[in-house]
PDB file of all heavy atoms in Angstrom:
ATOM      1  N   ARG A   1     -18.793  -3.469   6.911  1.00 77.00           N
ATOM      2  CA  ARG A   1     -18.258  -4.838   6.920  1.00 77.00           C
ATOM      3  C   ARG A   1     -18.687  -5.431   8.205  1.00 77.00           C
ATOM      4  O   ARG A   1     -18.950  -4.785   9.217  1.00 77.00           O
ATOM      5  CB  ARG A   1     -16.683  -4.794   6.847  1.00 77.00           C
ATOM      6  CG  ARG A   1     -16.193  -4.352   5.483  1.00 77.00           C
ATOM      7  CD  ARG A   1     -14.712  -4.516   5.467  1.00 77.00           C
ATOM      8  NE  ARG A   1     -14.327  -4.412   4.007  1.00 77.00           N
ATOM      9  CZ  ARG A   1     -13.267  -5.062   3.593  1.00 77.00           C
ATOM     10  NH1 ARG A   1     -12.485  -5.787   4.324  1.00 77.00           N
ATOM     11  NH2 ARG A   1     -12.947  -4.940   2.315  1.00 77.00           N
ATOM     12  N   ASP A   2     -18.704  -6.731   8.191  1.00 83.00           N
ATOM     13  CA  ASP A   2     -18.983  -7.523   9.447  1.00 83.00           C
ATOM     14  C   ASP A   2     -17.698  -8.259   9.910  1.00 83.00           C
ATOM     15  O   ASP A   2     -16.991  -8.737   9.069  1.00 83.00           O
ATOM     16  CB  ASP A   2     -20.042  -8.623   9.164  1.00 83.00           C
ATOM     17  CG  ASP A   2     -21.380  -7.954   8.867  1.00 83.00           C
ATOM     18  OD1 ASP A   2     -21.694  -6.929   9.432  1.00 83.00           O
ATOM     19  OD2 ASP A   2     -22.100  -8.516   7.996  1.00 83.00           O
ATOM     20  N   LEU A   3     -17.492  -8.252  11.157  1.00 84.00           N
ATOM     21  CA  LEU A   3     -16.360  -9.012  11.725  1.00 84.00           C
ATOM     22  C   LEU A   3     -16.804 -10.427  12.034  1.00 84.00           C
ATOM     23  O   LEU A   3     -17.749 -10.635  12.727  1.00 84.00           O
ATOM     24  CB  LEU A   3     -15.842  -8.337  13.073  1.00 84.00           C
ATOM     25  CG  LEU A   3     -14.780  -9.108  13.768  1.00 84.00           C
ATOM     26  CD1 LEU A   3     -13.497  -9.241  12.903  1.00 84.00           C
ATOM     27  CD2 LEU A   3     -14.423  -8.514  15.094  1.00 84.00           C
ATOM     28  N   VAL A   4     -16.151 -11.358  11.437  1.00 84.00           N
ATOM     29  CA  VAL A   4     -16.482 -12.765  11.622  1.00 84.00           C
ATOM     30  C   VAL A   4     -15.231 -13.482  12.103  1.00 84.00           C
ATOM     31  O   VAL A   4     -14.188 -13.316  11.502  1.00 84.00           O
ATOM     32  CB  VAL A   4     -16.965 -13.440  10.239  1.00 84.00           C
ATOM     33  CG1 VAL A   4     -17.246 -14.838  10.476  1.00 84.00           C
ATOM     34  CG2 VAL A   4     -18.150 -12.708   9.674  1.00 84.00           C
ATOM     35  N   VAL A   5     -15.432 -14.179  13.157  1.00 84.00           N
ATOM     36  CA  VAL A   5     -14.276 -14.951  13.779  1.00 84.00           C
ATOM     37  C   VAL A   5     -14.520 -16.392  13.628  1.00 84.00           C
ATOM     38  O   VAL A   5     -15.619 -16.956  14.061  1.00 84.00           O
ATOM     39  CB  VAL A   5     -14.028 -14.580  15.244  1.00 84.00           C
ATOM     40  CG1 VAL A   5     -12.907 -15.386  15.838  1.00 84.00           C
ATOM     41  CG2 VAL A   5     -13.771 -13.084  15.371  1.00 84.00           C
ATOM     42  N   THR A   6     -13.649 -17.112  13.099  1.00 77.00           N
ATOM     43  CA  THR A   6     -13.799 -18.598  12.968  1.00 77.00           C
ATOM     44  C   THR A   6     -12.649 -19.241  13.799  1.00 77.00           C
ATOM     45  O   THR A   6     -11.473 -18.875  13.675  1.00 77.00           O
ATOM     46  CB  THR A   6     -13.612 -19.024  11.506  1.00 77.00           C
ATOM     47  OG1 THR A   6     -14.597 -18.324  10.731  1.00 77.00           O
ATOM     48  CG2 THR A   6     -13.873 -20.505  11.373  1.00 77.00           C
ATOM     49  N   VAL A   7     -13.038 -20.249  14.622  1.00 79.00           N
ATOM     50  CA  VAL A   7     -12.071 -20.958  15.362  1.00 79.00           C
ATOM     51  C   VAL A   7     -11.825 -22.318  14.660  1.00 79.00           C
ATOM     52  O   VAL A   7     -12.765 -23.038  14.339  1.00 79.00           O
ATOM     53  CB  VAL A   7     -12.494 -21.222  16.816  1.00 79.00           C
ATOM     54  CG1 VAL A   7     -11.512 -22.017  17.580  1.00 79.00           C
ATOM     55  CG2 VAL A   7     -12.770 -19.890  17.473  1.00 79.00           C
ATOM     56  N   MET A   8     -10.575 -22.569  14.290  1.00 74.00           N
ATOM     57  CA  MET A   8     -10.268 -23.782  13.592  1.00 74.00           C
ATOM     58  C   MET A   8      -8.831 -24.267  13.833  1.00 74.00           C
ATOM     59  O   MET A   8      -8.101 -23.503  14.511  1.00 74.00           O
ATOM     60  CB  MET A   8     -10.454 -23.641  12.064  1.00 74.00           C
ATOM     61  CG  MET A   8      -9.629 -22.441  11.484  1.00 74.00           C
ATOM     62  SD  MET A   8     -10.188 -22.085   9.882  1.00 74.00           S
ATOM     63  CE  MET A   8      -8.669 -22.183   8.990  1.00 74.00           C
ATOM     64  N   LYS A   9      -8.452 -25.375  13.407  1.00 82.00           N
ATOM     65  CA  LYS A   9      -7.126 -25.842  13.641  1.00 82.00           C
ATOM     66  C   LYS A   9      -6.092 -24.941  12.984  1.00 82.00           C
ATOM     67  O   LYS A   9      -6.419 -24.265  12.010  1.00 82.00           O
ATOM     68  CB  LYS A   9      -7.009 -27.354  13.287  1.00 82.00           C
ATOM     69  CG  LYS A   9      -7.000 -27.625  11.807  1.00 82.00           C
ATOM     70  CD  LYS A   9      -6.990 -29.073  11.438  1.00 82.00           C
ATOM     71  CE  LYS A   9      -5.823 -29.821  12.039  1.00 82.00           C
ATOM     72  NZ  LYS A   9      -5.785 -31.241  11.639  1.00 82.00           N
ATOM     73  N   HIS A  10      -4.910 -25.036  13.453  1.00 87.00           N
ATOM     74  CA  HIS A  10      -3.810 -24.173  12.918  1.00 87.00           C
ATOM     75  C   HIS A  10      -3.170 -24.936  11.752  1.00 87.00           C
ATOM     76  O   HIS A  10      -2.666 -26.018  11.874  1.00 87.00           O
ATOM     77  CB  HIS A  10      -2.799 -23.968  14.023  1.00 87.00           C
ATOM     78  CG  HIS A  10      -1.621 -23.156  13.524  1.00 87.00           C
ATOM     79  ND1 HIS A  10      -1.722 -21.765  13.329  1.00 87.00           N
ATOM     80  CD2 HIS A  10      -0.331 -23.537  13.276  1.00 87.00           C
ATOM     81  CE1 HIS A  10      -0.521 -21.326  12.951  1.00 87.00           C
ATOM     82  NE2 HIS A  10       0.300 -22.301  12.905  1.00 87.00           N
ATOM     83  N   TYR A  11      -3.242 -24.276  10.546  1.00 92.00           N
ATOM     84  CA  TYR A  11      -2.550 -24.870   9.359  1.00 92.00           C
ATOM     85  C   TYR A  11      -1.199 -24.264   9.228  1.00 92.00           C
ATOM     86  O   TYR A  11      -0.874 -23.198   9.696  1.00 92.00           O
ATOM     87  CB  TYR A  11      -3.429 -24.540   8.119  1.00 92.00           C
ATOM     88  CG  TYR A  11      -4.768 -25.106   8.112  1.00 92.00           C
ATOM     89  CD1 TYR A  11      -5.924 -24.304   8.086  1.00 92.00           C
ATOM     90  CD2 TYR A  11      -4.989 -26.513   8.216  1.00 92.00           C
ATOM     91  CE1 TYR A  11      -7.244 -24.842   8.130  1.00 92.00           C
ATOM     92  CE2 TYR A  11      -6.231 -27.082   8.226  1.00 92.00           C
ATOM     93  CZ  TYR A  11      -7.337 -26.221   8.132  1.00 92.00           C
ATOM     94  OH  TYR A  11      -8.581 -26.824   8.186  1.00 92.00           O
ATOM     95  N   GLN A  12      -0.321 -24.954   8.461  1.00 93.00           N
ATOM     96  CA  GLN A  12       0.956 -24.496   8.129  1.00 93.00           C
ATOM     97  C   GLN A  12       0.991 -23.821   6.740  1.00 93.00           C
ATOM     98  O   GLN A  12       0.223 -24.209   5.882  1.00 93.00           O
ATOM     99  CB  GLN A  12       1.940 -25.665   8.154  1.00 93.00           C
ATOM    100  CG  GLN A  12       2.025 -26.407   9.438  1.00 93.00           C
ATOM    101  CD  GLN A  12       2.815 -27.687   9.261  1.00 93.00           C
ATOM    102  OE1 GLN A  12       2.890 -28.293   8.265  1.00 93.00           O
ATOM    103  NE2 GLN A  12       3.490 -28.132  10.402  1.00 93.00           N
ATOM    104  N   PRO A  13       1.830 -22.841   6.604  1.00 93.00           N
ATOM    105  CA  PRO A  13       1.962 -22.228   5.207  1.00 93.00           C
ATOM    106  C   PRO A  13       2.458 -23.287   4.160  1.00 93.00           C
ATOM    107  O   PRO A  13       3.165 -24.207   4.532  1.00 93.00           O
ATOM    108  CB  PRO A  13       2.908 -21.118   5.412  1.00 93.00           C
ATOM    109  CG  PRO A  13       3.368 -21.125   6.761  1.00 93.00           C
ATOM    110  CD  PRO A  13       2.716 -22.231   7.524  1.00 93.00           C
ATOM    111  N   LEU A  14       2.096 -23.075   2.976  1.00 92.00           N
ATOM    112  CA  LEU A  14       2.491 -23.983   1.913  1.00 92.00           C
ATOM    113  C   LEU A  14       4.025 -24.063   1.843  1.00 92.00           C
ATOM    114  O   LEU A  14       4.562 -25.156   1.555  1.00 92.00           O
ATOM    115  CB  LEU A  14       1.953 -23.545   0.619  1.00 92.00           C
ATOM    116  CG  LEU A  14       2.197 -24.412  -0.618  1.00 92.00           C
ATOM    117  CD1 LEU A  14       1.692 -25.821  -0.407  1.00 92.00           C
ATOM    118  CD2 LEU A  14       1.640 -23.761  -1.857  1.00 92.00           C
ATOM    119  N   ARG A  15       4.704 -23.068   2.162  1.00 89.00           N
ATOM    120  CA  ARG A  15       6.197 -23.001   2.119  1.00 89.00           C
ATOM    121  C   ARG A  15       6.739 -24.008   3.150  1.00 89.00           C
ATOM    122  O   ARG A  15       8.015 -24.349   3.037  1.00 89.00           O
ATOM    123  CB  ARG A  15       6.769 -21.622   2.313  1.00 89.00           C
ATOM    124  CG  ARG A  15       6.543 -21.107   3.687  1.00 89.00           C
ATOM    125  CD  ARG A  15       7.228 -19.743   3.918  1.00 89.00           C
ATOM    126  NE  ARG A  15       6.820 -19.196   5.182  1.00 89.00           N
ATOM    127  CZ  ARG A  15       5.827 -18.447   5.433  1.00 89.00           C
ATOM    128  NH1 ARG A  15       4.976 -18.100   4.533  1.00 89.00           N
ATOM    129  NH2 ARG A  15       5.612 -17.972   6.632  1.00 89.00           N
ATOM    130  N   SER A  16       5.976 -24.500   4.068  1.00 89.00           N
ATOM    131  CA  SER A  16       6.493 -25.452   5.048  1.00 89.00           C
ATOM    132  C   SER A  16       6.562 -26.871   4.542  1.00 89.00           C
ATOM    133  O   SER A  16       6.864 -27.815   5.266  1.00 89.00           O
ATOM    134  CB  SER A  16       5.700 -25.406   6.300  1.00 89.00           C
ATOM    135  OG  SER A  16       4.414 -25.917   6.089  1.00 89.00           O
ATOM    136  N   ALA A  17       6.228 -27.081   3.236  1.00 91.00           N
ATOM    137  CA  ALA A  17       6.390 -28.398   2.663  1.00 91.00           C
ATOM    138  C   ALA A  17       7.774 -28.911   2.866  1.00 91.00           C
ATOM    139  O   ALA A  17       8.775 -28.191   2.803  1.00 91.00           O
ATOM    140  CB  ALA A  17       6.014 -28.386   1.173  1.00 91.00           C
ATOM    141  N   ARG A  18       7.874 -30.176   3.132  1.00 89.00           N
ATOM    142  CA  ARG A  18       9.161 -30.814   3.494  1.00 89.00           C
ATOM    143  C   ARG A  18      10.071 -30.966   2.284  1.00 89.00           C
ATOM    144  O   ARG A  18      11.291 -31.085   2.443  1.00 89.00           O
ATOM    145  CB  ARG A  18       8.972 -32.161   4.179  1.00 89.00           C
ATOM    146  CG  ARG A  18       8.255 -32.031   5.494  1.00 89.00           C
ATOM    147  CD  ARG A  18       7.948 -33.316   6.136  1.00 89.00           C
ATOM    148  NE  ARG A  18       7.219 -33.161   7.362  1.00 89.00           N
ATOM    149  CZ  ARG A  18       6.281 -33.947   7.792  1.00 89.00           C
ATOM    150  NH1 ARG A  18       5.921 -34.997   7.113  1.00 89.00           N
ATOM    151  NH2 ARG A  18       5.623 -33.657   8.926  1.00 89.00           N
ATOM    152  N   ASN A  19       9.471 -31.059   1.130  1.00 89.00           N
ATOM    153  CA  ASN A  19      10.276 -31.262  -0.102  1.00 89.00           C
ATOM    154  C   ASN A  19       9.441 -30.833  -1.326  1.00 89.00           C
ATOM    155  O   ASN A  19       8.213 -30.525  -1.145  1.00 89.00           O
ATOM    156  CB  ASN A  19      10.763 -32.688  -0.314  1.00 89.00           C
ATOM    157  CG  ASN A  19       9.600 -33.677  -0.191  1.00 89.00           C
ATOM    158  OD1 ASN A  19       8.587 -33.583  -0.925  1.00 89.00           O
ATOM    159  ND2 ASN A  19       9.729 -34.651   0.721  1.00 89.00           N
ATOM    160  N   LEU A  20      10.029 -30.826  -2.477  1.00 89.00           N
ATOM    161  CA  LEU A  20       9.339 -30.401  -3.701  1.00 89.00           C
ATOM    162  C   LEU A  20       8.160 -31.228  -4.019  1.00 89.00           C
ATOM    163  O   LEU A  20       7.106 -30.768  -4.432  1.00 89.00           O
ATOM    164  CB  LEU A  20      10.316 -30.323  -4.885  1.00 89.00           C
ATOM    165  CG  LEU A  20       9.744 -29.831  -6.221  1.00 89.00           C
ATOM    166  CD1 LEU A  20       9.180 -28.415  -5.988  1.00 89.00           C
ATOM    167  CD2 LEU A  20      10.812 -29.853  -7.309  1.00 89.00           C
ATOM    168  N   GLY A  21       8.233 -32.610  -3.785  1.00 90.00           N
ATOM    169  CA  GLY A  21       7.141 -33.518  -4.095  1.00 90.00           C
ATOM    170  C   GLY A  21       5.954 -33.172  -3.246  1.00 90.00           C
ATOM    171  O   GLY A  21       4.796 -33.187  -3.683  1.00 90.00           O
ATOM    172  N   GLU A  22       6.155 -32.894  -1.976  1.00 92.00           N
ATOM    173  CA  GLU A  22       5.028 -32.562  -1.066  1.00 92.00           C
ATOM    174  C   GLU A  22       4.464 -31.203  -1.470  1.00 92.00           C
ATOM    175  O   GLU A  22       3.252 -31.067  -1.376  1.00 92.00           O
ATOM    176  CB  GLU A  22       5.612 -32.519   0.362  1.00 92.00           C
ATOM    177  CG  GLU A  22       4.575 -32.477   1.415  1.00 92.00           C
ATOM    178  CD  GLU A  22       5.047 -32.619   2.828  1.00 92.00           C
ATOM    179  OE1 GLU A  22       5.482 -31.601   3.426  1.00 92.00           O
ATOM    180  OE2 GLU A  22       5.000 -33.775   3.284  1.00 92.00           O
ATOM    181  N   TYR A  23       5.261 -30.292  -1.876  1.00 93.00           N
ATOM    182  CA  TYR A  23       4.753 -28.987  -2.291  1.00 93.00           C
ATOM    183  C   TYR A  23       3.830 -29.187  -3.511  1.00 93.00           C
ATOM    184  O   TYR A  23       2.739 -28.665  -3.583  1.00 93.00           O
ATOM    185  CB  TYR A  23       5.903 -28.035  -2.676  1.00 93.00           C
ATOM    186  CG  TYR A  23       5.513 -26.705  -3.145  1.00 93.00           C
ATOM    187  CD1 TYR A  23       5.303 -25.642  -2.231  1.00 93.00           C
ATOM    188  CD2 TYR A  23       5.173 -26.430  -4.492  1.00 93.00           C
ATOM    189  CE1 TYR A  23       4.859 -24.417  -2.621  1.00 93.00           C
ATOM    190  CE2 TYR A  23       4.779 -25.201  -4.859  1.00 93.00           C
ATOM    191  CZ  TYR A  23       4.602 -24.157  -3.999  1.00 93.00           C
ATOM    192  OH  TYR A  23       4.186 -22.988  -4.347  1.00 93.00           O
ATOM    193  N   LYS A  24       4.345 -29.963  -4.517  1.00 93.00           N
ATOM    194  CA  LYS A  24       3.527 -30.174  -5.700  1.00 93.00           C
ATOM    195  C   LYS A  24       2.204 -30.841  -5.378  1.00 93.00           C
ATOM    196  O   LYS A  24       1.158 -30.481  -5.901  1.00 93.00           O
ATOM    197  CB  LYS A  24       4.325 -30.976  -6.732  1.00 93.00           C
ATOM    198  CG  LYS A  24       5.496 -30.253  -7.314  1.00 93.00           C
ATOM    199  CD  LYS A  24       6.079 -30.971  -8.548  1.00 93.00           C
ATOM    200  CE  LYS A  24       6.713 -32.290  -8.171  1.00 93.00           C
ATOM    201  NZ  LYS A  24       7.472 -32.880  -9.272  1.00 93.00           N
ATOM    202  N   LYS A  25       2.220 -31.882  -4.562  1.00 95.00           N
ATOM    203  CA  LYS A  25       0.958 -32.581  -4.152  1.00 95.00           C
ATOM    204  C   LYS A  25       0.009 -31.618  -3.492  1.00 95.00           C
ATOM    205  O   LYS A  25      -1.214 -31.558  -3.777  1.00 95.00           O
ATOM    206  CB  LYS A  25       1.339 -33.800  -3.258  1.00 95.00           C
ATOM    207  CG  LYS A  25       0.175 -34.742  -3.070  1.00 95.00           C
ATOM    208  CD  LYS A  25      -0.481 -34.461  -1.745  1.00 95.00           C
ATOM    209  CE  LYS A  25      -1.568 -35.507  -1.415  1.00 95.00           C
ATOM    210  NZ  LYS A  25      -2.793 -34.836  -0.904  1.00 95.00           N
ATOM    211  N   ALA A  26       0.454 -30.812  -2.555  1.00 96.00           N
ATOM    212  CA  ALA A  26      -0.383 -29.845  -1.845  1.00 96.00           C
ATOM    213  C   ALA A  26      -0.916 -28.834  -2.844  1.00 96.00           C
ATOM    214  O   ALA A  26      -2.048 -28.381  -2.768  1.00 96.00           O
ATOM    215  CB  ALA A  26       0.339 -29.210  -0.660  1.00 96.00           C
ATOM    216  N   PHE A  27      -0.103 -28.359  -3.816  1.00 96.00           N
ATOM    217  CA  PHE A  27      -0.473 -27.381  -4.751  1.00 96.00           C
ATOM    218  C   PHE A  27      -1.626 -27.873  -5.587  1.00 96.00           C
ATOM    219  O   PHE A  27      -2.580 -27.210  -5.882  1.00 96.00           O
ATOM    220  CB  PHE A  27       0.625 -26.862  -5.557  1.00 96.00           C
ATOM    221  CG  PHE A  27       0.413 -25.602  -6.276  1.00 96.00           C
ATOM    222  CD1 PHE A  27       0.690 -24.380  -5.724  1.00 96.00           C
ATOM    223  CD2 PHE A  27      -0.123 -25.621  -7.581  1.00 96.00           C
ATOM    224  CE1 PHE A  27       0.426 -23.153  -6.412  1.00 96.00           C
ATOM    225  CE2 PHE A  27      -0.391 -24.438  -8.267  1.00 96.00           C
ATOM    226  CZ  PHE A  27      -0.134 -23.226  -7.676  1.00 96.00           C
ATOM    227  N   VAL A  28      -1.534 -29.072  -6.100  1.00 96.00           N
ATOM    228  CA  VAL A  28      -2.580 -29.706  -6.831  1.00 96.00           C
ATOM    229  C   VAL A  28      -3.830 -29.795  -6.046  1.00 96.00           C
ATOM    230  O   VAL A  28      -4.934 -29.509  -6.536  1.00 96.00           O
ATOM    231  CB  VAL A  28      -2.106 -31.060  -7.373  1.00 96.00           C
ATOM    232  CG1 VAL A  28      -3.285 -31.856  -8.017  1.00 96.00           C
ATOM    233  CG2 VAL A  28      -1.034 -30.891  -8.414  1.00 96.00           C
ATOM    234  N   ASP A  29      -3.707 -30.191  -4.756  1.00 97.00           N
ATOM    235  CA  ASP A  29      -4.903 -30.240  -3.885  1.00 97.00           C
ATOM    236  C   ASP A  29      -5.536 -28.898  -3.852  1.00 97.00           C
ATOM    237  O   ASP A  29      -6.832 -28.811  -3.843  1.00 97.00           O
ATOM    238  CB  ASP A  29      -4.537 -30.577  -2.433  1.00 97.00           C
ATOM    239  CG  ASP A  29      -4.114 -32.049  -2.273  1.00 97.00           C
ATOM    240  OD1 ASP A  29      -4.362 -32.802  -3.186  1.00 97.00           O
ATOM    241  OD2 ASP A  29      -3.581 -32.344  -1.230  1.00 97.00           O
ATOM    242  N   LEU A  30      -4.789 -27.775  -3.756  1.00 97.00           N
ATOM    243  CA  LEU A  30      -5.388 -26.446  -3.688  1.00 97.00           C
ATOM    244  C   LEU A  30      -6.086 -26.063  -4.922  1.00 97.00           C
ATOM    245  O   LEU A  30      -7.224 -25.506  -4.893  1.00 97.00           O
ATOM    246  CB  LEU A  30      -4.182 -25.454  -3.380  1.00 97.00           C
ATOM    247  CG  LEU A  30      -3.616 -25.551  -2.038  1.00 97.00           C
ATOM    248  CD1 LEU A  30      -2.248 -24.986  -1.948  1.00 97.00           C
ATOM    249  CD2 LEU A  30      -4.541 -24.913  -1.006  1.00 97.00           C
ATOM    250  N   VAL A  31      -5.546 -26.337  -6.096  1.00 97.00           N
ATOM    251  CA  VAL A  31      -6.217 -26.042  -7.380  1.00 97.00           C
ATOM    252  C   VAL A  31      -7.489 -26.839  -7.501  1.00 97.00           C
ATOM    253  O   VAL A  31      -8.595 -26.372  -7.968  1.00 97.00           O
ATOM    254  CB  VAL A  31      -5.271 -26.288  -8.510  1.00 97.00           C
ATOM    255  CG1 VAL A  31      -5.916 -26.133  -9.882  1.00 97.00           C
ATOM    256  CG2 VAL A  31      -4.025 -25.381  -8.511  1.00 97.00           C
ATOM    257  N   GLU A  32      -7.438 -28.141  -7.057  1.00 97.00           N
ATOM    258  CA  GLU A  32      -8.675 -28.958  -7.086  1.00 97.00           C
ATOM    259  C   GLU A  32      -9.738 -28.460  -6.102  1.00 97.00           C
ATOM    260  O   GLU A  32     -10.890 -28.390  -6.407  1.00 97.00           O
ATOM    261  CB  GLU A  32      -8.362 -30.365  -6.782  1.00 97.00           C
ATOM    262  CG  GLU A  32      -7.598 -31.097  -7.876  1.00 97.00           C
ATOM    263  CD  GLU A  32      -7.209 -32.528  -7.534  1.00 97.00           C
ATOM    264  OE1 GLU A  32      -7.320 -32.954  -6.362  1.00 97.00           O
ATOM    265  OE2 GLU A  32      -6.771 -33.259  -8.485  1.00 97.00           O
TER     266      GLU A  32
END
């Protein structure tokens, strides 16, 4: 295996969605 390190911005877990509507919108983005 190769060790690869990527530096990028810090994302929040999907569970950090503020409400159900935001969760659904982000989930659709992920499937797309």
Side-chain angles (χ1 to χ4, degrees):
R1 292 188 165 208
D2 295 322
L3 174 63
V4 179
V5 177
T6 304
V7 177
M8 55 193 236
K9 72 188 300 186
H10 180 74
Y11 297 119
Q12 300 170 331
L14 183 59
R15 69 177 175 268
S16 68
R18 295 176 182 144
N19 54 51
L20 183 58
E22 190 172 86
Y23 180 90
K24 290 191 295 188
K25 192 260 185 224
F27 195 87
V28 169
D29 288 348
L30 290 159
V31 174
E32 288 177 351

